[in-house]
Amino acid sequence: MFKLPVCPYCHTVYSYGEVKKSEKKEIIKCYHCKNNFKQGRAKGFLFLAFIIVALAVLINKAILNLTADIVTSLIPLLAISLIAVILFIILSPYFIEFKKIKNEKIKEIPSVKITDDIKLKQKRSIKKRNNE
């Protein structure tokens, strides 16, 4: 459950920082095998969110029961809520998984195809010149 994601093609493990950097990207390119893949949330992501919210609510309820005044308990309530949000942000990369892209056309790089076409045209024109 608590594991960093791996490349779906070559199973290269990505570090915590690399996963955080790639959270906003739609398509990620593996630095090892150069294949493209996308990322998605793992199954336990909602479970993590539920646990963190439940713990924050229980701790905030306990603080409210221990203090007689809401004004004096406001700072601890905000602190517990802030800690819950930070904990969620810190643990979220462990609940990301990388998935293969089903559409294989995305893997093709158009520039390679264009250069191949140019080389083919050059070969044809050389053959035509030699025949004349």
Side-chain angles (χ1 to χ4, degrees):
M1 195 150 126
F2 284 99
K3 64 177 186 170
L4 289 169
V6 297
C7 173
Y9 298 100
C10 64
H11 303 289
T12 302
V13 179
Y14 279 75
S15 69
Y16 183 85
E18 292 168 338
V19 174
K20 287 296 279 183
K21 287 179 187 176
S22 68
E23 278 183 341
K24 301 291 181 193
K25 294 181 182 176
E26 199 170 304
I27 296 176
I28 304 161
K29 188 173 196 173
C30 179
Y31 62 86
H32 188 259
C33 67
K34 308 295 186 224
N35 286 322
N36 293 327
F37 52 87
K38 63 182 182 176
Q39 71 176 9
R41 297 288 178 193
K43 293 177 184 174
F45 188 72
L46 291 176
F47 187 66
L48 169 73
F50 176 74
I51 288 174
I52 290 175
V53 168
L55 284 174
V57 167
L58 289 175
I59 293 171
N60 284 340
K61 187 174 178 184
I63 290 172
L64 283 173
N65 285 339
L66 292 175
T67 58
D69 192 12
I70 289 182
V71 176
T72 57
S73 65
L74 184 63
I75 292 175
L77 291 175
L78 290 175
I80 295 298
S81 300
L82 183 65
I83 289 170
V85 169
I86 291 172
L87 188 64
F88 182 75
I89 290 170
I90 289 173
L91 292 178
S92 66
Y94 292 102
F95 292 89
I96 290 177
E97 63 183 0
F98 293 148
K99 300 174 184 177
K100 292 181 180 179
I101 297 175
K102 291 181 182 176
N103 188 359
E104 296 297 326
K105 291 181 182 177
I106 295 174
K107 285 186 179 180
E108 293 179 15
I109 300 171
S111 61
V112 173
K113 203 171 191 180
I114 291 169
T115 55
D116 288 344
D117 289 342
I118 292 171
K119 288 178 185 177
L120 261 169
K121 287 179 183 178
Q122 288 175 348
K123 287 180 183 179
R124 288 179 191 160
S125 64
I126 291 171
K127 284 181 182 178
K128 284 181 182 179
R129 285 184 205 151
N130 291 339
N131 290 336
E132 292 176 355

